[in-house]
Amino acid sequence: MTTPFEELAGLDRLIHEPARLSIMTALAACKSADYTFLQRLTGLTGGNLSSHISKLEEGGLIQVEKRFVDKRPNTQVQITDKGRIAIERHWTQLDNLRKESQKWKP
Amino acid sequence: MQNVKNIRFVATNFYNLQGLRAVPLGFLLLLVSLWANTLHGPARNFLVPTLGLASALVVLFVIDRYYSHTFGRVERTPESRRFEWLFSVVGGILALGAFLLDVSYKLPVSMLGLVFSAGLLADYIRITWLVKGHFLLYYPLGAILMAGVSVLPALGVSNWWYVFGIANQLIGITTVIAIFTMIAGIWGHIFLVNALPGRVENN
């Protein structure tokens, strides 16, 4: 059986960062979303959002598609199967940790 | 970071929360109801509803662009699209049936109002199914209000619509639905604005 510390250490750091966790959680709830929506959701600047999106894309957790909508450039982001499994596992781990922590005694 | 429930709810129901879309439709229904209220016999001139429909379509187009540019785009999951499509078709058929019953018989209740009430409640369950929380409470509140208004004649409050200068129950109910649709739309929009504050951090 793993200890709570081992559980914490075992969390996927690529997903656990708050902004990336928000992005992944949102993308898991829909088919795809664009940069404008993700920027409104996270409150990140364009540069920071791009940086987080690049890291998630490099990890194979999301796919990025650049296209034109109404003659304007539009970047659509979609979660991959690997990403969906990873975010579901991450939330399960966090839920388990939360439940375990309630049993801890001072 | 935002509340996880909030993120899931907004991403899942992004389209439903774009409440301003409902305002021109509610306004069109109100306009048609008030126009029907002025008729004394079969309608001959359809200029008012036609102009209302054209205006509503133009405003709807502008609102669609506003949401896309300001809040971005979210594509729903295929399951969500299918379910919403099925929900719309079943709701449309039931509403049409209720409308026909209301115009064909003098009932002590408004079937259209009851169907609208049931639809609001079913829609509320549908959109909060995946994400539990105190979201969009005006849906169940509206359902109770509509059910209450629909059964007023059966409860002894007959001809309540005359108080407002409305000719019959059907026009009274469509007027209430129209006003509720506009208020609920604005409410949904405010929820979306608060859920997506867009406070962009400083570099």
Side-chain angles (χ1 to χ4, degrees):
Chain A
M1 192 179 147
T2 54
T3 64
F5 179 76
E6 283 171 329
E7 286 267 351
L8 272 170
L11 288 173
D12 187 343
R13 290 183 188 196
L14 180 60
I15 296 180
H16 195 59
E17 196 284 328
R20 292 197 286 271
L21 190 55
S22 294
I23 293 167
M24 289 297 289
T25 303
L27 291 175
C30 60
K31 191 182 173 198
S32 64
D34 71 1
Y35 255 52
T36 309
F37 174 76
L38 294 173
Q39 207 171 350
R40 291 290 306 220
L41 184 77
T42 58
L44 295 169
T45 60
N48 276 342
L49 179 63
S50 289
S51 166
H52 288 302
I53 292 285
S54 296
K55 284 175 185 162
L56 291 170
E57 193 181 17
E58 282 164 19
L61 302 179
I62 59 167
Q63 280 178 332
V64 178
E65 186 196 348
K66 292 183 194 308
R67 60 186 187 177
F68 280 87
V69 177
D70 299 331
K71 295 179 183 176
R72 287 166 179 243
N74 182 265
T75 306
Q76 202 76 10
V77 186
Q78 188 174 357
I79 196 165
T80 60
D81 290 342
K82 181 183 171 187
R84 200 171 288 279
I85 292 166
I87 188 71
E88 279 168 14
R89 191 179 58 219
H90 192 80
W91 279 119
T92 306
Q93 282 177 305
L94 287 178
D95 280 343
N96 290 342
L97 268 169
R98 187 178 55 78
K99 282 174 194 160
E100 284 297 316
S101 70
Q102 285 166 348
K103 295 176 193 165
W104 295 345
K105 289 174 186 168
Chain B
M1 194 178 84
Q2 281 213 53
N3 178 304
V4 174
K5 273 187 181 175
N6 217 36
I7 292 172
R8 283 184 184 145
F9 185 76
V10 172
T12 308
N13 298 296
F14 185 58
Y15 189 82
N16 298 90
L17 292 173
Q18 297 178 9
L20 291 185
R21 290 175 195 275
V23 175
L25 300 176
F27 181 76
L28 176 63
L29 184 60
L30 181 66
L31 187 75
V32 172
S33 300
L34 296 178
W35 169 76
N37 198 44
T38 62
L39 297 176
H40 302 285
R44 294 177 196 283
N45 187 343
F46 290 90
L47 183 67
V48 172
T50 308
L51 281 177
L53 177 64
S55 309
L57 289 174
V58 170
V59 175
L60 208 54
F61 175 77
V62 172
I63 289 171
D64 188 61
R65 304 280 288 196
Y66 160 73
Y67 276 122
S68 297
H69 290 148
T70 312
F71 297 98
R73 290 181 170 83
V74 173
E75 205 176 328
R76 285 171 288 178
T77 57
E79 296 80 28
S80 166
R81 276 174 175 275
R82 271 198 295 274
F83 195 59
E84 192 155 317
W85 187 83
L86 181 72
F87 193 85
S88 304
V89 171
V90 172
I93 291 168
L94 286 175
L96 185 65
F99 176 79
L100 291 174
L101 278 174
D102 280 346
V103 294
S104 307
Y105 303 99
K106 193 172 168 55
L107 300 168
V109 294
S110 166
M111 294 307 290
L112 187 64
L114 289 176
V115 165
F116 188 78
S117 170
L120 271 177
L121 211 53
D123 209 22
Y124 176 70
I125 293 165
R126 180 183 67 85
I127 60 181
T128 54
W129 191 258
L130 292 172
V131 188
K132 303 282 185 288
H134 299 293
F135 298 112
L136 308 185
L137 286 177
Y138 58 87
Y139 270 71
L141 289 176
I144 293 166
L145 170 82
M146 282 309 306
V149 173
S150 302
V151 299
L152 276 179
L155 296 174
V157 189
S158 56
N159 301 336
W160 59 266
W161 46 90
Y162 287 146
V163 177
F164 302 97
I166 294 169
N168 58 52
Q169 180 175 231
L170 182 61
I171 297 176
I173 286 292
T174 53
T175 304
V176 175
I177 291 174
I179 293 169
F180 175 79
T181 302
M182 288 191 283
I183 294 171
I186 293 166
W187 204 334
H189 176 74
I190 292 169
F191 181 92
L192 181 66
V193 170
N194 290 331
L196 294 177
R199 282 191 296 271
V200 174
E201 65 173 14
N202 295 319
N203 271 320

